[in-house]
Amino acid sequence: MDCSRVRTLVRRYCAGEENWVDSRTIYVGHKEPPPGAEAYILQRHPDNRIVSSKYTFWNFIPKNLFEQFRRIANFYFLIIFLVQLIIDTPTSPVTSGLPLFFVITVTAIKQGYEDWLRHKADNAMNQCPVHFIQHGKLVRKQSRKLRVGDIVMVKEDETFPCDLIFLSSSRGDGTCHVTTASLDGESSHKTHYAVQDTKGFHTEEDIDGLHATIECEQPQPDLYKFVGRINVYNDRNDPVVRPLGSENLLLRGATLKNTEKIFGVAIYTGMETKMALNYQSKSQKRSAVEKSMNVFLIVYLCILISKALINTVLKYVWQSEPFRDEPWYNQKTESERQRNLVEYIFTDKTGTLTENNMEFKECCIEGHVYVPHAICNGQVLPGASGIDMIDSSPGTSAREREELFFRALCLCHTIQVKDDDDVDGPRKSPDSGKSCTYISSSPDEVALVEGIQRLGFTYLRLKDNYMEILNRENDVERFELLEILSFDSVRRRMSVIVKSATGEIYLFCKGADSSIFPRVIEGKVDQIRARVERNAVEGLRTLCVAYKRLNPEEYEGICTLLQAAKVALQDREKKLAEAYEQIEKDLVLLGATAVEDRLQEKAADTIEALQKAGIKVWVLTGDKMETAAATCYACKLFRRNTQLLELTTKKIEEQSLHDVLFELSKTVLRHSGSLTRDNFSGLSADMQDYGLIIDGAALSLIMKPREDGSCGNYRELFLEICRNCSAVLCCRMAPLQKAQIVKLIKLSKEHPITLAIGDGANDVSMILEAHVGIGVIGKEGRQAARNSDYAVPKFKHLKKMLLVHGHFYYIRISELVQYFFYKNVCFIFPQFLYQFFCGFSQQTLYDTAYLTLYNISFTSLPILLYSLMEQHVSIDTLRRDPSLYRDIAKNALLRWRVFIYWTFLGVFDALVFFFGAYFMFENTTVTSNGQIMTTNTHMIFGNWTFGTLVFTVMVFTVTLKLALDTHYWTWINHFVIWGSLLFYIVFSLLWGGIIWPFLNYQRMYYVFIQMLSSGPAWLVIILLITVSLLPDVLKKVLCRQLWPSATERVQSTCTCGHDHLPELTLLACPQSPSPWAMFQARTQNR
């Protein structure tokens, strides 16, 4: 169940089911409706407080401790500490309690500091000043005190404090422009419209006199959907009713641009705003390494419990027999994780894969190609001058079509012009002599208008519903804007109807080639289609332009048709779509354009390397399908031989969701059969390469529970399709849908490791949901970076982060985990065996100092340095050959087979240590002074001598085992490894060779020196170390010779003096004339 469902159920429960309604009524300015209008029902709504923190002052300690002790390792050591504390044990509780206390304290301080920063950010947001209208005056109060129904004033460059219905603005046409980078990642400007009956209210007194109520739906997270209506009460008895849509809604988090001020009424506040509903709470992330270690700890905990049970039972069995009450010797003593293994990468598009800078490349008119010098965001690149024309110029007969094409691009858009020399960078028109800034919801439109400006036609402004352009003769042409047929993702085109100064009425239409070509009845279709396909192969974003002339009678019919659709309260979108379909037909094709969305540096190389490494890359974006698909081709996510599959709203409208899913499933499984594509990642020529495109609406249907209350079948079918696709593009995604996609893959039956990367606040939810979250520090703020596990400046750094550092990290951490288990099995198992020879008396085999320092000093530094510095192959090799990442895929080095091998190796070494020393002391005699001496070595024999011999062999063996596993040797490695062994010898000599005055008794006095004074003891130590290491050495040699991995082959190559790998030859792909164009053509043919 997702967070929105939980919030909904909680809200219903708290309010009482009988009070729950599917809509809400807002009284503008908290004014009751006039008598006889409608009943006044007071509704309670939350305040405008935003809470992103995890803890409070009161619940921090219990909640943090609960979360920390959910970790198996912490819980394990807590149990050990409590056992040592409650009962009498040979070791002190301090040995377990002090490290545990240190880890818990440091972690709590870190998490507390992070949450304090979140509290600080929340307070700054909740206490920021907001202006609202009260009794006809402008009053300022804190944002958290804002209530539903308050009328708010927002100034230019300010962020909307809550979700508002747009009432009026300082602009005469009742519009305003906003940027929604923190919501959907798009930094372009969007136009919103005030309510028709309130847009003339420009002062506080006018707004305060407004008497109205708003009926709208309850809060829901979809950023692009809003349904409501406003009842405006005038002097008449009946109110004026106006429909409200998403174009009237100003969302919290968006920023006001190019408008001096606006007035709006708050309808959703605090945690009910769409931004808050799309916020994913921060959860505790656990790496695959930690999960594997937790399972291994449970196994060892079971082994430890079984050892304790065995020893306890045998102790009572021993003591139950006569004359065995006393033990043999009973003196008691007082004593990263996740970057690796990534299988799925979910990436945002705008600002992550691309720089969001559009560049006009060329246009094709009647088969003639025009290529102006590069312009990017209004800046002419150095050395550019004049117009560069390819092919022959059109003749006199085609001149009219050429100018009509330029006029169409100057008029068919939703661009606004801001005459300002300082804001957002001045853009000097080369012909108009004035500076202007173009702003639009689509960066493509800005690039097109700027490109046409270089070709002689300049768009000036929209004033009093007239669009003004400057032609090549520097004459200003004025066109009356009659209608705008807005763009939508189903039609994939937009149109405007304008009237020239001579009275001619034109319909100009631009859109995707698959959307324009079927509606064309005249024009050079074949020549223009060939150029469009050529540009598509190069990864350029293409649009086609067409027009038709309308006579007055046709225009009147169009007006009547559009008006009937616009005022409909039921099925308004469907009726508008039907009207647009009737209007946009019988067109004359003029030409096509090509725009390049600049990819980030090396973005394509990075995705190609990630796919070679066996990682699947998904693009999750709020952009329209055409834009996103073109980018996917440019960054090599989709290849030229990729067969694209659609799971979109348009496809579902033609067929049922059930039929579409089963058709796609049969398509992808036809070639792959039962094979999984995880090992191919779309790079094999033996299998058909599939790419899937899905939009947000289709995803909602898949995630929506069916009538029988289940949604699992559709989800599983969808996941099966995705598993057999080399790449997936999810477009028109809301922020919460991005998180749902990540969660869906994360919780699938394979439980793959997921990584999410994005640069905007709209990506925070998926960054928090994924196992690994990467924030790109870009143009859209620092929200993504602040909520991520890692932050990078560019997408290209993901290659080195995963394929190099992630690879190294996994090799190091897996060795660290297994080695710690191994050396502790070597440490503990001889103690277990020793109980069979000491009457199960709990007598320790090792001295207290050895017990304490084994894991702290004697064996800790070598593995610590290994986990920081080991490089089993060079950095350049990992960069050059991404396929080496497959050797560590799916947690290969922490699987049960490897775990069992390390465990049995530890048990074998422990048996060698214990019984090798035992047989050395097997024959003993009693000397004249009462000492026990071995007959074969003439060495003084005793309990501590035996334990010291076992301990010495153990320390040398586990240290040399790590030395055998080390491939990257530096002077630091030599110093730490050999220094640790030297430190053990020096410590043992000092510990047993000096009488320490602070000790009450000193049982180790002269033991170590006496042991080393015997020549056979030296021989036994060397022999036991050799025997212990021999199986591991044999295993390494045999595996490298018989079953070498790719990494081991590289190591062997480097050892032989070849510091490079053979270059990988890419499999030849069959030539295809147009990837994206062919997909559009297939869509058209459907």
Side-chain angles (χ1 to χ4, degrees), residues 710-722:
S710 67
C711 59
N713 290 345
Y714 284 166
R715 291 187 185 184
E716 287 301 320
L717 200 55
F718 171 67
L719 286 173
E720 187 64 31
I721 295 169
C722 293

Side-chain angles (χ1 to χ4, degrees), residues 860-870 970 972-974 976:
S860 60
L861 285 181
I863 185 59
L864 176 63
L865 190 69
Y866 180 99
S867 64
L868 293 175
M869 298 185 62
E870 172 64 5
T970 65
I972 304 178
N973 297 74
H974 287 286
V976 169

Side-chain angles (χ1 to χ4, degrees), residues 176-180 184 186-192 224 440-441:
C176 73
H177 305 287
V178 303
T179 57
T180 57
D184 57 13
E186 296 183 11
S187 56
S188 53
H189 291 63
K190 296 178 175 63
T191 304
H192 288 257
Y224 309 106
S440 172
S441 59

